[in-house]
PDB file of all heavy atoms in Angstrom:
ATOM      1  N   LEU A  81     -83.742  55.626 -27.032  1.00 98.00           N
ATOM      2  CA  LEU A  81     -83.226  56.916 -27.493  1.00 98.00           C
ATOM      3  C   LEU A  81     -81.707  56.981 -27.411  1.00 98.00           C
ATOM      4  O   LEU A  81     -81.057  57.589 -28.265  1.00 98.00           O
ATOM      5  CB  LEU A  81     -83.815  58.057 -26.654  1.00 98.00           C
ATOM      6  CG  LEU A  81     -85.340  58.162 -26.595  1.00 98.00           C
ATOM      7  CD1 LEU A  81     -85.752  59.264 -25.632  1.00 98.00           C
ATOM      8  CD2 LEU A  81     -85.916  58.427 -27.974  1.00 98.00           C
ATOM      9  N   GLU A  95     -45.732  53.468 -17.489  1.00 77.00           N
ATOM     10  CA  GLU A  95     -44.758  52.730 -16.697  1.00 77.00           C
ATOM     11  C   GLU A  95     -44.130  51.575 -17.480  1.00 77.00           C
ATOM     12  O   GLU A  95     -43.005  51.167 -17.215  1.00 77.00           O
ATOM     13  CB  GLU A  95     -45.437  52.180 -15.437  1.00 77.00           C
ATOM     14  CG  GLU A  95     -44.449  51.591 -14.442  1.00 77.00           C
ATOM     15  CD  GLU A  95     -45.161  50.983 -13.256  1.00 77.00           C
ATOM     16  OE1 GLU A  95     -46.152  50.264 -13.457  1.00 77.00           O
ATOM     17  OE2 GLU A  95     -44.720  51.239 -12.127  1.00 77.00           O
ATOM     18  N   SER A 108     -47.718  57.136 -34.092  1.00 89.00           N
ATOM     19  CA  SER A 108     -48.012  58.176 -35.077  1.00 89.00           C
ATOM     20  C   SER A 108     -48.143  57.567 -36.469  1.00 89.00           C
ATOM     21  O   SER A 108     -49.042  57.928 -37.242  1.00 89.00           O
ATOM     22  CB  SER A 108     -46.910  59.234 -35.050  1.00 89.00           C
ATOM     23  OG  SER A 108     -47.073  60.139 -36.119  1.00 89.00           O
ATOM     24  N   TYR A 130     -49.041  54.089 -13.810  1.00 64.00           N
ATOM     25  CA  TYR A 130     -49.550  52.732 -13.971  1.00 64.00           C
ATOM     26  C   TYR A 130     -50.949  52.700 -14.576  1.00 64.00           C
ATOM     27  O   TYR A 130     -51.472  51.630 -14.847  1.00 64.00           O
ATOM     28  CB  TYR A 130     -49.559  52.005 -12.616  1.00 64.00           C
ATOM     29  CG  TYR A 130     -50.363  52.697 -11.555  1.00 64.00           C
ATOM     30  CD1 TYR A 130     -51.729  52.501 -11.443  1.00 64.00           C
ATOM     31  CD2 TYR A 130     -49.743  53.570 -10.661  1.00 64.00           C
ATOM     32  CE1 TYR A 130     -52.465  53.145 -10.469  1.00 64.00           C
ATOM     33  CE2 TYR A 130     -50.464  54.211  -9.687  1.00 64.00           C
ATOM     34  CZ  TYR A 130     -51.823  54.003  -9.584  1.00 64.00           C
ATOM     35  OH  TYR A 130     -52.543  54.652  -8.630  1.00 64.00           O
ATOM     36  N   TYR A 169     -80.968  59.096 -32.284  1.00 97.00           N
ATOM     37  CA  TYR A 169     -81.683  60.002 -33.187  1.00 97.00           C
ATOM     38  C   TYR A 169     -80.943  61.325 -33.392  1.00 97.00           C
ATOM     39  O   TYR A 169     -81.570  62.355 -33.646  1.00 97.00           O
ATOM     40  CB  TYR A 169     -83.101  60.252 -32.663  1.00 97.00           C
ATOM     41  CG  TYR A 169     -83.953  59.003 -32.717  1.00 97.00           C
ATOM     42  CD1 TYR A 169     -84.049  58.156 -31.614  1.00 97.00           C
ATOM     43  CD2 TYR A 169     -84.634  58.642 -33.872  1.00 97.00           C
ATOM     44  CE1 TYR A 169     -84.801  56.993 -31.654  1.00 97.00           C
ATOM     45  CE2 TYR A 169     -85.393  57.492 -33.927  1.00 97.00           C
ATOM     46  CZ  TYR A 169     -85.477  56.670 -32.819  1.00 97.00           C
ATOM     47  OH  TYR A 169     -86.219  55.522 -32.869  1.00 97.00           O
ATOM     48  N   SER A 172     -82.203  64.810 -32.239  1.00 97.00           N
ATOM     49  CA  SER A 172     -83.534  64.758 -31.625  1.00 97.00           C
ATOM     50  C   SER A 172     -83.443  64.744 -30.100  1.00 97.00           C
ATOM     51  O   SER A 172     -82.723  63.927 -29.518  1.00 97.00           O
ATOM     52  CB  SER A 172     -84.266  63.502 -32.113  1.00 97.00           C
ATOM     53  OG  SER A 172     -85.592  63.518 -31.685  1.00 97.00           O
ATOM     54  N   CYS A 245     -78.276  52.409 -14.400  1.00 98.00           N
ATOM     55  CA  CYS A 245     -79.722  52.181 -14.474  1.00 98.00           C
ATOM     56  C   CYS A 245     -80.299  52.812 -15.747  1.00 98.00           C
ATOM     57  O   CYS A 245     -79.758  53.787 -16.265  1.00 98.00           O
ATOM     58  CB  CYS A 245     -80.411  52.790 -13.259  1.00 98.00           C
ATOM     59  SG  CYS A 245     -79.966  51.982 -11.713  1.00 98.00           S
ATOM     60  N   ALA A 337    -108.075  90.621 -13.552  1.00 98.00           N
ATOM     61  CA  ALA A 337    -109.153  91.627 -13.612  1.00 98.00           C
ATOM     62  C   ALA A 337    -110.466  91.046 -13.097  1.00 98.00           C
ATOM     63  O   ALA A 337    -111.193  91.706 -12.343  1.00 98.00           O
ATOM     64  CB  ALA A 337    -109.306  92.101 -15.062  1.00 98.00           C
ATOM     65  N   GLU A 339    -110.878  88.378 -11.054  1.00 96.00           N
ATOM     66  CA  GLU A 339    -110.758  88.036  -9.637  1.00 96.00           C
ATOM     67  C   GLU A 339    -110.801  89.280  -8.759  1.00 96.00           C
ATOM     68  O   GLU A 339    -111.358  89.268  -7.663  1.00 96.00           O
ATOM     69  CB  GLU A 339    -109.451  87.273  -9.392  1.00 96.00           C
ATOM     70  CG  GLU A 339    -109.396  85.916 -10.034  1.00 96.00           C
ATOM     71  CD  GLU A 339    -110.321  84.898  -9.380  1.00 96.00           C
ATOM     72  OE1 GLU A 339    -110.449  84.934  -8.144  1.00 96.00           O
ATOM     73  OE2 GLU A 339    -110.928  84.095 -10.115  1.00 96.00           O
ATOM     74  N   TYR A 362    -101.217 104.680 -27.444  1.00 95.00           N
ATOM     75  CA  TYR A 362    -100.901 103.247 -27.496  1.00 95.00           C
ATOM     76  C   TYR A 362    -101.835 102.621 -28.526  1.00 95.00           C
ATOM     77  O   TYR A 362    -103.058 102.745 -28.431  1.00 95.00           O
ATOM     78  CB  TYR A 362    -101.107 102.589 -26.127  1.00 95.00           C
ATOM     79  CG  TYR A 362    -100.172 103.105 -25.061  1.00 95.00           C
ATOM     80  CD1 TYR A 362    -100.517 104.247 -24.323  1.00 95.00           C
ATOM     81  CD2 TYR A 362     -98.970 102.478 -24.800  1.00 95.00           C
ATOM     82  CE1 TYR A 362     -99.672 104.734 -23.346  1.00 95.00           C
ATOM     83  CE2 TYR A 362     -98.108 102.962 -23.817  1.00 95.00           C
ATOM     84  CZ  TYR A 362     -98.456 104.088 -23.096  1.00 95.00           C
ATOM     85  OH  TYR A 362     -97.611 104.576 -22.134  1.00 95.00           O
ATOM     86  N   ARG A 371    -114.022  97.838 -32.385  1.00 92.00           N
ATOM     87  CA  ARG A 371    -115.246  98.388 -31.814  1.00 92.00           C
ATOM     88  C   ARG A 371    -115.457  97.874 -30.402  1.00 92.00           C
ATOM     89  O   ARG A 371    -114.504  97.538 -29.727  1.00 92.00           O
ATOM     90  CB  ARG A 371    -116.433  98.168 -32.733  1.00 92.00           C
ATOM     91  CG  ARG A 371    -116.835  96.722 -32.984  1.00 92.00           C
ATOM     92  CD  ARG A 371    -117.873  96.629 -34.089  1.00 92.00           C
ATOM     93  NE  ARG A 371    -118.317  95.262 -34.244  1.00 92.00           N
ATOM     94  CZ  ARG A 371    -119.043  94.843 -35.253  1.00 92.00           C
ATOM     95  NH1 ARG A 371    -119.398  95.700 -36.212  1.00 92.00           N
ATOM     96  NH2 ARG A 371    -119.440  93.604 -35.331  1.00 92.00           N
ATOM     97  N   THR A 390    -108.288  97.454 -19.312  1.00 97.00           N
ATOM     98  CA  THR A 390    -108.402  96.463 -18.230  1.00 97.00           C
ATOM     99  C   THR A 390    -107.189  96.510 -17.310  1.00 97.00           C
ATOM    100  O   THR A 390    -107.307  96.423 -16.080  1.00 97.00           O
ATOM    101  CB  THR A 390    -108.554  95.057 -18.836  1.00 97.00           C
ATOM    102  OG1 THR A 390    -109.744  95.019 -19.615  1.00 97.00           O
ATOM    103  CG2 THR A 390    -108.627  93.993 -17.761  1.00 97.00           C
ATOM    104  N   PRO A 417     -81.013  70.472 -15.558  1.00 97.00           N
ATOM    105  CA  PRO A 417     -80.159  71.530 -15.001  1.00 97.00           C
ATOM    106  C   PRO A 417     -80.228  72.815 -15.819  1.00 97.00           C
ATOM    107  O   PRO A 417     -80.541  72.799 -17.006  1.00 97.00           O
ATOM    108  CB  PRO A 417     -78.759  70.906 -15.109  1.00 97.00           C
ATOM    109  CG  PRO A 417     -78.854  69.977 -16.279  1.00 97.00           C
ATOM    110  CD  PRO A 417     -80.263  69.446 -16.303  1.00 97.00           C
ATOM    111  N   LYS A 472    -104.244  74.111 -11.158  1.00 97.00           N
ATOM    112  CA  LYS A 472    -103.214  73.278 -10.513  1.00 97.00           C
ATOM    113  C   LYS A 472    -101.859  73.489 -11.203  1.00 97.00           C
ATOM    114  O   LYS A 472    -101.743  73.404 -12.420  1.00 97.00           O
ATOM    115  CB  LYS A 472    -103.595  71.788 -10.583  1.00 97.00           C
ATOM    116  CG  LYS A 472    -104.892  71.449  -9.859  1.00 97.00           C
ATOM    117  CD  LYS A 472    -105.172  69.966  -9.931  1.00 97.00           C
ATOM    118  CE  LYS A 472    -106.459  69.592  -9.234  1.00 97.00           C
ATOM    119  NZ  LYS A 472    -107.662  70.142  -9.900  1.00 97.00           N
ATOM    120  N   PRO A 562    -107.831  67.911 -25.743  1.00 97.00           N
ATOM    121  CA  PRO A 562    -109.122  68.419 -26.227  1.00 97.00           C
ATOM    122  C   PRO A 562    -109.698  69.454 -25.247  1.00 97.00           C
ATOM    123  O   PRO A 562    -109.401  69.419 -24.053  1.00 97.00           O
ATOM    124  CB  PRO A 562    -109.996  67.164 -26.267  1.00 97.00           C
ATOM    125  CG  PRO A 562    -109.047  66.003 -26.189  1.00 97.00           C
ATOM    126  CD  PRO A 562    -107.878  66.482 -25.411  1.00 97.00           C
TER     127      PRO A 562
END
Side-chain angles (χ1 to χ4, degrees):
L81 304 175
E95 189 184 45
S108 172
Y130 57 85
Y169 293 93
S172 188
C245 294
E339 293 290 322
Y362 296 87
R371 64 189 184 191
T390 299
K472 298 182 181 66

